[in-house]
Amino acid sequence: MSQAETTGIKRNRQALAERFRAFIDPEYVISDDETLKPYECDGLSVYCEMPMLVVLPETVEQVQKVLQICHAEGVPVVARGAGTGLCAGAMPHPEGVVLSLAKFNRILEIDPLARAARVQPGVRNLAISEAANAHGLYYGPDPSSQIACTIGGNVAENSGGVHCLKYGLTVHNLLGVELLTVEGERLSIGSEGLDNCGADLLALLTGSEGLLGIVTEIRVKLLPTPEVAQVVMAGFDSVQTAGDAVGSIIAEGIIPGGLEMMDSHAIVAAEAYAKAGYPVDAQALLLCEVDGTEEEVHEHIDAVEALFRRLGATSVRTSHSEEERARLWKGRKSAFPAVGRISPDYYCMDGTIPRSQLAHVLTEMDRMSQAYGLRVANVFHAGDGNLHPLILFDANRPGELERTEEFGAKILELCVEVGGCITGEHGVGVEKIRQMPKQFNEQELAQFHRIKAVFDPDATLNPGKGVPTLRQCQEYRSLDMNIEPNAGAAAQHNGRCSHE
């Protein structure tokens, strides 16, 4: 960026900040570089960009005014929750405003009769279940980051979690949202009933990554806490055998509450971190949770144990207390930070494939791992085929980050080739935007743009994320034809963070 451009942004920053401070507590209108720094990226710190301004409003009316001013001035707006996202979806625009919803953190209502909760978008995912627990209820989707991630971010990315196989993603657990358009107009989408007439706008908005509007209130479904829940942990001598076992469980007519898989790198790291009692000599591990009535659970547990042994499991262990069940899940939910102890850096991917392709895709990833000279720790939602391979690398080694990104791109393309998609729950953001033309043709991408234009004609809500322009698609295809070996996807992006 030139000196003149930098000076212009600073001048606009101060003028805009003064307008916001007229109706927002000045302490929560952030304009100095030092305080802006923490907002430069989300959980995927490979991509970062300093915002022009950050605002933290406390009321819907304040958010409305921010949107109205930014719309009138043509200023980009990027909504932000807890910043735990993993696709650079909340990465700021250098000439835009980060609209933090962190202060919208109240649970407004728990309705045990309707089995529903009404919450603000800044409420933590886990806090909903904690509040509903007194009524024997809980909120189903449980991302690994549930202790920190917010429900607003979950709606933006359509998050899942370890129990989404049986209980669904965020989209399956919503009743309605209150939305502000780019012009600041209030809309109510969905209802308190279980169905609505007309187009399913709620499903359209869920997973739209802040491209269509700003969610200010959310109504979610609550589920009754299962009478009994037990986990069967099985070790296998190969990831291929474990992958085959996943489909066999579903074929038996058993729908587990959760069905997760980890490979040897992840097992060793998680056990050292969480002391969960994992078999560190296993090449792969399956965690299969069955919940329901006592009779149902005991019947299914016996069937799952027998199935694992028949398929060649080297060890089988079943939880017999709530403490033991929680400990087994703690290892899985700690896997991401645990892997940070065995590698300076890791790159978390997020693709989805048909369950029948698990063994094939894992074999191909192992082949690519050797070809790129990079280790992979596999941790994923095996039941619904949502992969989370963690590519281990060292950003301080020249060229290794670029090689990692290219490897990650190849994994996503492999997912598409076998009938899957490039994201299961993390979203597209900036990270996967180059793979969108691999998933969708030009006509389909054009339709995405038409939908965006209905809600945001000037494209100022989270611009440059989610859906590439047709011009970008042509550029990406040209790059794919001419790119040098090991030149990664993000190398083409200006919002690249320095690791020096």
Side-chain angles (χ1 to χ4, degrees):
M1 187 177 294
S2 70
Q3 182 64 41
E5 288 174 322
T6 302
T7 301
I9 288 175
K10 288 183 177 180
R11 187 181 301 117
N12 292 340
R13 173 195 295 177
Q14 295 308 319
L16 204 55
E18 287 307 310
R19 295 180 68 180
F20 292 149
R21 288 178 179 129
F23 59 90
I24 296 176
D25 184 339
E27 182 180 353
Y28 299 112
V29 178
I30 301 171
S31 59
D32 64 287
D33 288 343
E34 182 178 357
T35 315
L36 288 171
K37 188 70 174 174
Y39 294 90
E40 69 176 354
C41 65
D42 59 13
L44 184 60
S45 58
V46 169
Y47 302 89
C48 56
E49 192 80 74
M50 285 284 282
M52 180 172 68
L53 279 175
V54 174
V55 295
L56 291 89
E58 297 183 71
T59 68
V60 175
E61 291 74 20
Q62 289 174 346
V63 177
Q64 279 184 297
K65 289 182 181 179
V66 169
L67 288 171
Q68 288 165 352
I69 290 171
C70 289
H71 178 64
E73 300 296 333
V75 174
V77 176
V78 177
R80 180 185 175 95
T84 60
L86 292 170
C87 71
M91 187 184 79
H93 190 286
E95 299 176 21
V97 171
V98 168
L99 175 59
S100 171
L101 296 164
K103 296 177 78 64
F104 282 72
N105 58 2
R106 292 189 298 129
I107 295 176
L108 303 172
E109 179 187 17
I110 299 289
D111 186 341
L113 293 179
R115 292 182 179 173
R118 190 165 56 87
V119 302
Q120 293 184 317
V123 170
R124 293 179 302 111
N125 173 289
L126 185 59
I128 301 175
S129 292
E130 291 171 342
N133 183 57
H135 305 284
L137 302 170
Y138 75 105
Y139 177 63
D142 57 341
S144 295
S145 60
Q146 67 178 152
I147 193 172
C149 68
T150 61
I151 188 66
N154 293 172
V155 172
E157 306 297 354
N158 193 21
S159 303
V162 298
H163 291 92
C164 65
L165 171 62
K166 185 173 183 178
Y167 296 109
L169 302 165
T170 301
V171 69
H172 305 113
N173 290 273
L174 291 183
L175 291 169
V177 300
E178 296 294 312
L179 182 83
L180 292 179
T181 68
V182 68
E183 297 96 346
E185 180 185 359
R186 292 195 190 194
L187 300 177
S188 292
I189 309 295
S191 74
E192 296 186 9
L194 296 178
D195 202 0
N196 290 291
C197 60
D200 191 354
L201 294 179
L202 187 58
L204 175 65
L205 291 166
T206 309
S208 61
E209 303 189 24
L211 296 171
L212 305 182
I214 306 297
V215 172
T216 58
E217 189 178 301
I218 301 158
R219 188 173 175 86
V220 300
K221 300 175 186 177
L222 297 176
L223 302 171
T225 304
E227 181 182 322
V228 178
Q230 286 183 275
V231 177
V232 180
M233 176 179 69
F236 292 85
D237 58 10
S238 75
V239 292
Q240 290 76 19
T241 305
D244 289 336
V246 170
S248 299
I249 292 174
I250 308 299
E252 287 286 316
I254 299 172
I255 305 298
L259 184 53
E260 299 289 298
M261 183 171 168
M262 302 166 66
D263 71 5
S264 58
H265 290 308
I267 294 167
V268 171
E271 177 59 20
Y273 186 88
K275 304 294 189 295
Y278 289 172
V280 293
D281 57 342
Q283 292 301 302
L285 178 74
L286 285 180
L287 292 173
C288 178
E289 179 168 287
V290 179
D291 60 13
T293 64
E294 188 169 348
E295 295 80 5
E296 177 187 19
V297 169
H298 289 166
E299 178 186 342
H300 285 168
I301 286 291
D302 289 343
V304 171
E305 288 178 340
L307 177 65
F308 282 156
R309 289 191 174 99
R310 189 168 73 246
L311 294 174
T314 55
S315 64
V316 177
R317 170 184 160 194
T318 301
S319 66
H320 292 287
S321 68
E322 182 58 26
E323 291 74 18
E324 187 177 11
R325 184 183 79 92
R327 188 163 58 250
L328 292 176
W329 279 123
K330 180 183 177 182
R332 163 60 185 90
K333 291 200 171 188
S334 302
F336 285 15
V339 166
R341 301 175 70 176
I342 63 173
S343 176
D345 302 284
Y346 68 81
Y347 187 22
C348 178
M349 304 306 300
D350 169 52
T352 299
I353 61 172
R355 281 190 298 267
S356 61
Q357 295 291 328
L358 269 175
H360 167 66
V361 169
L362 291 171
T363 300
E364 279 298 296
M365 278 201 292
D366 184 59
R367 182 190 62 78
M368 287 191 284
S369 172
Q370 295 178 40
Y372 281 96
L374 295 166
R375 294 176 297 160
V376 177
N378 279 295
V379 183
F380 56 91
H381 311 310
D384 64 347
N386 186 191
L387 307 178
H388 291 315
L390 307 174
I391 305 173
L392 313 183
F393 71 102
D394 186 347
N396 292 313
R397 293 179 179 173
E400 194 154 304
L401 173 56
E402 290 75 18
R403 197 161 76 252
T404 298
E405 291 169 326
E406 185 182 342
F407 182 11
K410 293 298 182 185
I411 291 174
L412 297 181
E413 290 166 18
L414 175 62
C415 291
V416 175
E417 287 171 13
V418 301
C421 59
I422 63 173
T423 181
E425 57 177 336
H426 292 176
V428 175
V430 173
E431 179 209 17
K432 303 182 189 73
I433 198 165
R434 187 172 166 181
Q435 276 68 54
M436 284 290 282
K438 302 288 185 180
Q439 179 89 55
F440 301 101
N441 61 37
E442 290 188 4
Q443 290 75 27
E444 291 164 334
L445 291 171
Q447 184 64 24
F448 284 134
H449 284 291
R450 283 191 283 270
I451 294 170
K452 166 75 167 170
V454 170
F455 287 85
D456 180 19
D458 298 327
T460 55
L461 288 178
N462 213 9
K465 316 279 182 57
V467 185
T469 64
L470 296 183
R471 178 180 176 182
Q472 283 177 312
C473 293
Q474 294 165 353
E475 291 172 352
Y476 294 155
R477 292 190 182 103
S478 176
L479 284 168
D480 286 340
M481 294 173 61
N482 300 299
I483 198 165
E484 294 293 327
N486 298 337
Q492 310 301 325
H493 192 272
N494 291 330
R496 187 64 176 281
C497 288
S498 171
H499 288 266
E500 295 178 358

